[in-house]
Amino acid sequence: MLALFIWVSLLLISITHWVHSWRNPKCKGKLPPGSMGFPLLGETIQFFKPNTTSDIPFFIKERVKKYGPIFKTNLVGRPVIVSADPDLSYYVFQQEGRCFQSWYPDTFTNVFGRKNVGSLHGFMYKYLKSMVLTLFGYDGLKKMLPEVELTANKRLELWSNQESVELKDATASMIFDLTAKKLISHDPDKSSENLRDNFAAFIQGLISFPFDIPGTAYHKCLKGRENAMRMLRNTLEERRKKPRKNPSDFFDYVMEEIQKEGTILTEEIALDLMFVLLFASFETTSLALTLAIKFLSDDPEVLKRLTEEHETILRNREDAGSGLTWEEYKSMTYTFQFINETARLANIVPAIFRKALIDIKFKDYTIPAGWAVMVCPPAVHLNPEMYEDPLVFNPSRWEESNANNASKHFMAFGGGLRFCVGTDFTKLQMAVFLHSLVTKYRWEEIKGGNIVRIPGLQFPNGYHVRLHRKIH
């Protein structure tokens, strides 16, 4: 009996010590305030609780109010410092490769691949970035402009002949087909399988509780990756067996790099790169475009000003039948302000993760080596101290701002070394689509749908409109 008592006592002491250690992690300095939550789970369940407002996610807002803009927590078993502080967030981006490196939870890397561009560092990351810029850089975008405009015109014409369109799905299809064509020459009309369907549940799956159980969003996300990767591997094998004499897409360029003597590019890295580009290029832009049209529908004054800018471009054109020129595109001052304001409120990237490489002292706190840091763009973009009436859509607030660069107060496209290489491609697609839309069509909202909100991210789901051709 005494032995049993001693055993139970030791067990209770061990559990108590473990719980105490969990809640009070060691640090060679002062940790930010906060709670580590329950052992193993941390505060994961609270973090994934759906957000019911357009404001800063409740999980973040509640803790900022209680602890301040820098606090500690534990998500999916990992100690995390959360930054809603513009200075710390900017510092994290600027210290890439020195004090911090890109890091994402296993739930993310399981979806995007262990060798995805976001998980690579140093020379390999810079090498892949330079590869992508051959497609999405300045020269590539100039060449792509006519094709982007042609695609927008064709889709708008198609939609105008339909009773109504669900904007999120319709814009995603348009952008995906264009991007897949440029990347891998994918033609949905000739393919035996719908490649885009494999990406359909990704946004919900990425920001969901990581249960890989049939029926869950995360499981659907992983199955989508499996199917998409199989298609990409098949494409790679076809290109290897039957090389094309005249390279015509990004995959051809990737194949040339793989086959170079002494190359550092492996098939695994190349396939993960293609997968990430396919996902990121269409999912984020379609969300932004859908919200942009929703904002225009809700604000006639903004629509009027945007329309005037684009109709002025048409009036000043010598050849009325010609398409957009690069100079005309670059002259769209108000349009870029509109895009920035859309990106600020959309918060398409609700969280950006890094990992501390060394113990880092910032202000009064220490961020221990090995801890994750989660930068929260919504907390920056919706900060009333920086943006007056932050929940109000107001493109004019960007008139005095540099609309092209990341800053302490605008990080919709990341920042520092990892500033999104697809930013200019996204802006090009949005601006060109808006040009075609407001100069040639008017629309009416048929069904408002639901604003789907998950931690830090919102997007219209089931938002239907009917398009009507303008009569000039």
Side-chain angles (χ1 to χ4, degrees), residues 98-116:
R98 293 185 287 273
C99 300
F100 301 92
Q101 71 177 23
S102 179
W103 173 88
Y104 282 88
D106 287 344
T107 52
F108 281 63
T109 52
N110 287 342
V111 172
F112 286 126
R114 295 287 168 183
K115 297 294 184 179
N116 80 82

Side-chain angles (χ1 to χ4, degrees), residues 54-74:
S54 300
D55 204 346
I56 298 167
F58 182 74
F59 177 87
I60 303 294
K61 193 169 186 176
E62 180 187 50
R63 284 156 182 76
V64 168
K65 185 177 180 180
K66 186 175 182 179
Y67 303 121
I70 304 173
F71 61 90
K72 69 175 181 286
T73 184
N74 187 292

Side-chain angles (χ1 to χ4, degrees), residues 273-287:
L273 174 64
M274 301 302 292
F275 179 86
V276 169
L277 290 177
L278 279 168
F279 168 75
S281 60
F282 91 94
E283 186 64 45
T284 55
T285 308
S286 62
L287 291 177

